[in-house]
Structures are given as structure tokens and as C-alpha cells.
Amino acid sequence: MQARPREILDTAGAAGAGLLNFLLPMRCLACDERVGSKGSLCARCWREMPFIEKPWCQRLGTPFAYDVGEETWSPAAIASPPAFDRLRTVTHYDGPARSLVLALKFSRRRELALAMGRWMSRAGNEFLDKDCLVVPVPLHRYRLWTRRFNQAADLAKVVASHCGGRFEPELLKRTRRTRQQVGLSANDRQQNVRSAFTVSRKGVEMVQGRHVVLIDDVLTTGATVTACSKTLLSGGAASVDVLTFSYADPSKGAADDWLNA
Ligand SMILES: [Zn+2]
């Protein structure tokens, strides 16, 4: 396996790292603009990064137009309480955030997970701690074989390293291949992912009574994280919170909706 720049830097020692820093180009993570330090965005991408900010629904993390108090739930959360406790997302799926998601997933720029996971750690700071199990939404083994890595697992690993929780990429399994989610209604999406997940044999004992933080790169209708949360809770988890990098609003016709399949 080819070592990533960060891995090289981790093992190179101070002198080697200095040399590599000198040799590697310093480019914005999301575009090709030169920047002053590695692992950062240029000023324009930073300005255009569509961060989701407080005030938000305590449960779903969806932003409110004005501050209505810390513990307030949105009408959507009241009407249909989710299976998980809280959901937090770093950005809307747009602009530089969309570029990062696509580059991580399809251009195999796995080093991007370092910055994306760092932002996710901040977004999830209310529920991340050293006692949680950090669990990525799994790919079906066929898709893992064709793509060769699970971008959600890369993000989960970084999140776990920041909070001190246990990274558990094999706790959940996707037991059947689901149809691509593109073009499906919210109801059909739920049907599509129902029974698609199970707690792995080695995860059964591990999950009992534990607080799980479920990680994914993109959230659309929430059907996938809901199905995973239900599986974890029925498998014995005490609670589940969800942390994703980006939210693609399906009502706005997110062109890359299928990303979350
Ligand atoms: Zn840029």
C-alpha cells in the first residue's frame, strides 16, 4: 500500500518531515490554489465553505433561522423523533465541501480525511468522548472490494483519534447490497436499506450498553443512518449519535444524491 504524506511525516522524524514539507506542494485542500500551510484551505474556499452553524435543532442539528434556545427541537424532530439521539453535520453539500467529498471518495485523496475528520470532531464535540465507540457506516464487501476503501471508515478513524474513543470499523456489517438511492422517494429509501445492516459476530459483545457514534461522509434523507442506528440499538447499544461531514438536501435536487447509496 502506498504511504500517504501524513504517514510519511509521522514516521519521518523532524528532519525528514522538514524535508518532505519542503518537497511537497502546499495546495488548498479543495482547489489548486497555493496556500501557506499544508492541510488547509485557501482564503476563498474558507469563505465559501458552507459550514452549518448554531443555532440548530438539538436533535437533528438542522439550523434555525434565529436563536430559540439550546434544547429546542425542530418541528421535523418533534413530528418524527429519530432512532438516534443527536445528529451533527459539518457543512452543507455545496462548494468546497462538495469538492472535498468527491475527491476523498472518487479521487482516492484519502489524506483529506485528516482535515474533514478534524472538522467533524469539532461538530460532534457534544457527544464525542473517550468512552464512545466510533463506527463507520459500512460498505457491502463487494463495493469495498471494488472501491478498495471505505471513506466513512477513514473519517471515523480520524474522529476516534481526536476524541480517544475506540475505532470499530467491523462492528456493523452491510449484509446485502442495496440499490442505488438515486430517484427513490424517502419511503422507498427506507425500504431499500431496511434489514441491510447487522451487528457483526465479533461486535455483539462489544456493543452491549455502549454509546456509539456513527460516522458517514454524506447525509441525505437519513434513511441509511436510521437503519444503522436501529440495528445498533436492537443489538444492545445504549445510545447512538450520528456525525456526518456533509448534508445534501434531497429537496434541493442534490445532483450527487446517489453518493449516499
Ligand atoms: Zn481553495
Side-chain angles (χ1 to χ4, degrees):
M1 190 174 72
Q2 195 177 1
R4 299 193 295 275
R6 178 57 184 254
E7 289 171 345
I8 300 168
L9 292 172
D10 284 346
T11 52
L19 178 63
L20 281 160
N21 264 319
F22 177 73
L23 293 173
L24 291 169
M26 298 211 282
R27 301 283 183 187
C28 168
L29 292 172
C31 73
D32 209 29
E33 188 73 27
R34 279 191 170 272
V35 290
S37 60
K38 287 184 192 305
S40 62
L41 294 170
C42 68
R44 184 175 58 85
C45 287
W46 188 256
R47 262 195 321 275
E48 292 176 1
M49 193 76 167
F51 285 111
I52 294 173
E53 286 165 14
K54 281 184 175 178
W56 53 48
C57 165
Q58 175 61 18
R59 206 68 196 269
L60 296 174
T62 43
F64 292 132
Y66 53 90
D67 201 344
V68 287
E70 278 284 299
E71 297 294 319
T72 309
W73 290 21
S74 60
I78 295 167
S80 181
F84 46 81
D85 281 355
R86 289 162 291 188
L87 187 157
R88 297 292 180 264
T89 304
V90 178
T91 69
H92 293 283
Y93 182 66
D94 202 5
R98 181 174 177 276
S99 303
L100 292 174
V101 168
L102 294 173
L104 171 62
K105 196 166 191 169
F106 297 114
S107 300
R108 298 179 49 81
R109 289 193 52 204
R110 298 177 67 181
E111 79 279 7
L112 295 177
L114 292 169
M116 294 163 77
R118 194 173 63 233
W119 285 319
M120 290 171 75
S121 301
R122 285 188 204 139
N125 67 357
E126 292 159 84
F127 50 69
L128 288 168
D129 60 35
K130 63 179 176 49
D131 297 321
C132 66
L133 302 180
V134 185
V135 175
V137 169
L139 292 178
H140 185 267
R141 59 190 158 80
Y142 175 75
R143 190 161 291 168
L144 184 61
W145 182 70
T146 53
R147 194 180 292 156
R148 292 165 56 198
F149 76 105
N150 177 1
Q151 72 287 348
D154 279 11
L155 295 169
K157 192 172 187 180
V158 176
V159 170
S161 75
H162 278 277
C163 72
R166 267 174 56 182
F167 170 56
E168 293 295 348
E170 287 167 13
L171 195 151
L172 262 186
K173 272 173 63 178
R174 195 183 285 246
T175 50
R176 64 181 174 81
R177 290 179 66 191
T178 48
R179 290 164 59 201
Q180 301 278 350
Q181 301 272 55
V182 66
L184 299 183
S185 68
N187 202 30
D188 287 343
R189 280 164 175 267
Q190 284 175 22
Q191 294 290 346
N192 191 31
V193 291
R194 189 166 292 160
S195 315
F197 301 96
T198 188
V199 173
S200 67
R201 203 182 305 169
K202 65 182 271 195
V204 169
E205 237 179 87
M206 191 192 302
V207 78
Q208 300 306 314
R210 299 299 296 268
H211 169 222
V212 176
V213 177
L214 186 66
I215 304 286
D216 209 356
D217 57 344
V218 180
L219 176 83
T220 51
T221 62
T224 300
V225 294
T226 295
C228 288
S229 299
K230 286 179 177 171
T231 301
L232 288 161
L233 291 165
S234 64
S239 59
V240 180
D241 289 309
V242 178
L243 183 57
T244 67
F245 178 73
S246 211
Y247 170 59
D249 186 345
S251 71
K252 291 182 180 163
D256 297 292
D257 209 10
W258 50 275
L259 277 169
N260 212 27

